[in-house]
Amino acid sequence: MAFDADEEILQDFLVEAGEILDQLSEQLVELEQHPDDSDLLNAIFRGFHTVKGGAGFLQLEALVNCCHSAENVFDNLRNHKRGVDAELMDVVLQALDNVNAMFAQVRNREEPTPAPAELIQALDQLAEPAEAAASSATASQAPAEPASEGEPGGDITDEEFEQLLDALDDGQAEPAAKPEAPAEGGDGEQTGGDEITDDEFEALLDELHGQGQFSGAPANGNTGDQPDEQAAGETSGSDLISDDEFEKLLDDLHGKGSGPTSAGAAQEGPADDRANKPESGPGPVPEPKPAAKPSPAKPATEPTPAASTPAPAAETTVRVDTKRLDDIMNMVGELVLVRNRLQRLGAESEDEQMHKAVSNLDVVTTDLQSAVMQTRMQPIKKVFGRFPRVVRDLARNLKKEINLEMHGEDTDLDKNLVEALSDPLVHLVRNSVDHGIEPPDVREKAGKPRVGRVTLSAEQEGDHILLAIEDDGAGMDPEKLRQKAVEKGVYDQDAADRLTDNECYNLIFAAGFSTKDQISDVSGRGVGMDVVKTKIGQLNGMINIESELGKGSRIIIKVPLTLAIMPTLMIMLGDQSFALPLVNVVEIFHLDLSKTNVVDGRECIVVRDKVFPLFHIKRWLVKSAPVEREPSNAHVVIVAMGTKRVGFVVDQLIGQEEVVIKPLGRALQGTPGMAGATITGDGRIALIIDVPSLLQHYG
């Protein structure tokens, strides 16, 4: 590779090829469902071709070779010389995996490792027409025809000669009576076959156009019934056309630089029209048409269907470094803090003009904040796009039949969240395919269709994104989950019996917990769902599970739209301000603390027949708070993280406020329970509470 190539060119290649490879994974799985979709075949062909072109410019030979072999396969498919089947898709997807691996090496400025020779050989075999061997065997057994006699080395076919002679009859070029012209054309189209003789060519013309029509005819191909002046005008005195003249003839017939073979597919329409014409018998040949009139064979200048489509719109996007977007977002965050400060000051002022100015500033700042956030947004399709391949490969591995449905792919959320959600969603989809969907035979016995369904959906709800993974599989059995919890020592039998169904479902998120008896390369170690819970908790998200035995399961994830500017509930603990992320807040109420209960040594409250642990977080976070007698009444904030809900006792509720998260200084880095800090509207510093970390450390 030319690692010293222009860095800008290399970056352009990495961006463009990365986008194409992401699309190819999704397109290939879609092709397996719609194997006759010509637009899809052409799109995949163009994808491999574009990556190959960029790699060739950067001298990435290993990448070029693999893409070229894959490109040949799809050239074959789009010309209907072979059909799409599962075995072909396995090889092509393996090739795409190798291309992705090489692309990752190029991104890391490493020399790409060539694809295995066996893979390239398999691709090259698939690039051959499926009927090639069968047709050649049939041709060798068929009775000899004059046309086949004329092409012992694989020369042009009867149909191609028909096209050539039709063009000659219409006056496009010199007549075909010159015996060596077709022989030269045949030689130009083959790779080493013998030329046909003059006698063989005469026999072919006799078969196609009638005995004696061309032999001994005037040089322009007309019979004696045609005027001599016309014959004289058509020839320059030589019985043979030159190489240049014949090349021009082929260019006129098939387009510049194309032979009859390559043009055959593109000219199916005109060829069919010609095939329906009656064969011309002995007698006068039609008078040549004026050169200005179009002939049945499309001239090279005639626009193709692709060329006649409207030109694509001009480029309307620009690529911007994400660091620049982050800088803009930080500046907007500072502006939000200034706005909050002015709003607080404006509320204390009685100046009407001041109120109007602050109100206008609030509107403009909110619009600017929204616009800048939109620049950081990406459709969640970037994450969803990888799942058709995941489901397809896993279903084949597990011998299951599964359809994946996706909804809400255009839902936008913060770029950082798109990347962070990738791993949790992969684990959830794999869990649905492996644990949820039953084998086809089991589904049929249960009265279900053989093909299972996994649905992945996304929608925006206020400042949050709701993601749902649903399947129509076997569902979860609470009793089996209770037994597993006892076997693994998570609960004793009495505690397990007291668990509600929802609490049983949440057991699957426990570390090391799995309902599989045998460990496989797909599941059984109890790691995947623990990763999901941890990651969603880090994103200030929540998870909820709904399941019905025999009907299927539904897992719902709720995460904030962005992590840069977040709405919070400002609270007071003593005389210090703290911010609770609003995404974690479920409800707020006033509580008589004398009505609490103690369960297993922990203070709890009962709200609508549900028991929640109660924590006085002031004791954790405000060490210097004077020892006071506990008040009889207090504000309680019910917060949720992942699948758990607890109550926090706070001294005072200030209200909702948008804050910008600022990282803690080096001395405070890693403080348990703190996600960062912000500046409040009154100019004070408030710490932002990290609920999962706080409970893990103190609770």
Side-chain angles (χ1 to χ4, degrees), residues 571-641:
I571 61 174
M572 294 290 291
L573 300 176
D575 58 354
Q576 294 186 21
S577 300
F578 291 88
L580 272 172
L582 207 59
V583 67
N584 295 122
V585 177
V586 178
E587 63 177 309
I588 304 169
F589 55 86
H590 201 65
L591 177 69
D592 182 353
L593 294 179
S594 63
K595 296 183 179 179
T596 59
N597 303 289
V598 177
V599 179
D600 293 336
R602 177 174 294 173
E603 191 174 10
C604 299
I605 57 173
V606 179
V607 181
R608 291 185 292 277
D609 297 330
K610 292 184 179 179
V611 179
F612 299 111
L614 192 66
F615 298 103
H616 295 261
I617 58 175
K618 180 179 177 180
R619 301 171 186 172
W620 299 343
L621 302 177
V622 186
K623 301 295 184 183
S624 60
V627 178
E628 301 175 354
R629 187 173 60 86
E630 292 290 344
S632 59
N633 295 289
H635 300 286
V636 175
V637 181
I638 301 295
V639 297
M641 64 293 164

Side-chain angles (χ1 to χ4, degrees), residues 441-462:
D441 295 341
V442 176
R443 291 180 63 86
E444 282 190 329
K445 290 178 182 178
K448 296 182 177 180
R450 286 181 60 88
V451 180
R453 186 184 75 252
V454 175
T455 305
L456 196 59
S457 61
E459 61 177 312
Q460 183 174 344
E461 185 184 76

Side-chain angles (χ1 to χ4, degrees), residues 56-136:
F57 188 80
L58 294 170
Q59 302 174 25
L60 303 169
E61 295 302 327
L63 196 53
V64 169
N65 292 339
C66 191
C67 288
H68 179 68
S69 296
E71 176 189 13
N72 288 341
V73 173
F74 282 94
D75 191 34
N76 212 351
L77 293 173
R78 67 180 188 154
N79 288 323
H80 310 292
K81 296 179 181 177
R82 179 183 286 276
V84 177
D85 53 42
E87 288 71 22
L88 181 144
M89 293 305 302
D90 285 341
V91 175
V92 173
L93 287 169
Q94 186 183 352
L96 180 62
D97 289 340
N98 278 269
V99 171
N100 279 318
M102 287 186 272
F103 181 73
Q105 290 177 311
V106 174
R107 192 190 294 277
N108 296 328
R109 305 298 193 275
E110 300 173 5
E111 192 68 28
T113 304
E118 298 80 9
L119 176 62
I120 301 297
Q121 184 178 1
L123 288 170
D124 291 341
Q125 289 176 352
L126 292 172
E128 298 175 1
E131 297 82 6
S135 61
S136 61

Side-chain angles (χ1 to χ4, degrees), residues 19 317-318 320-322 325-326 328-329 366-383 409-419 421 459-465 559-567 658:
E19 293 173 353
T317 59
V318 293
V320 180
D321 194 321
T322 53
L325 292 178
D326 291 340
I328 295 174
M329 195 68 188
T366 302
D367 290 345
L368 177 61
Q369 175 187 339
S370 176
V372 173
M373 285 176 63
Q374 286 298 320
T375 63
R376 289 169 54 96
M377 295 293 186
Q378 286 186 335
I380 201 168
K381 183 178 180 180
K382 186 173 182 182
V383 178
E409 299 166 86
D410 295 330
T411 304
D412 290 334
L413 70 163
D414 192 277
K415 174 183 179 296
N416 295 333
L417 278 173
V418 170
E419 297 167 355
L421 284 170
E459 61 177 312
Q460 183 174 344
E461 185 184 76
D463 292 334
H464 305 90
I465 292 290
V559 292
L561 270 176
T562 178
L563 298 177
I565 297 177
M566 67 164 60
E658 283 188 332

Side-chain angles (χ1 to χ4, degrees), residues 544-574:
N544 186 38
I545 301 179
E546 301 171 0
S547 184
E548 186 176 350
L549 189 62
K551 297 290 184 66
S553 302
R554 188 169 189 252
I555 299 178
I556 303 169
I557 298 175
K558 183 178 181 181
V559 292
L561 270 176
T562 178
L563 298 177
I565 297 177
M566 67 164 60
T568 62
L569 174 67
M570 301 301 296
I571 61 174
M572 294 290 291
L573 300 176

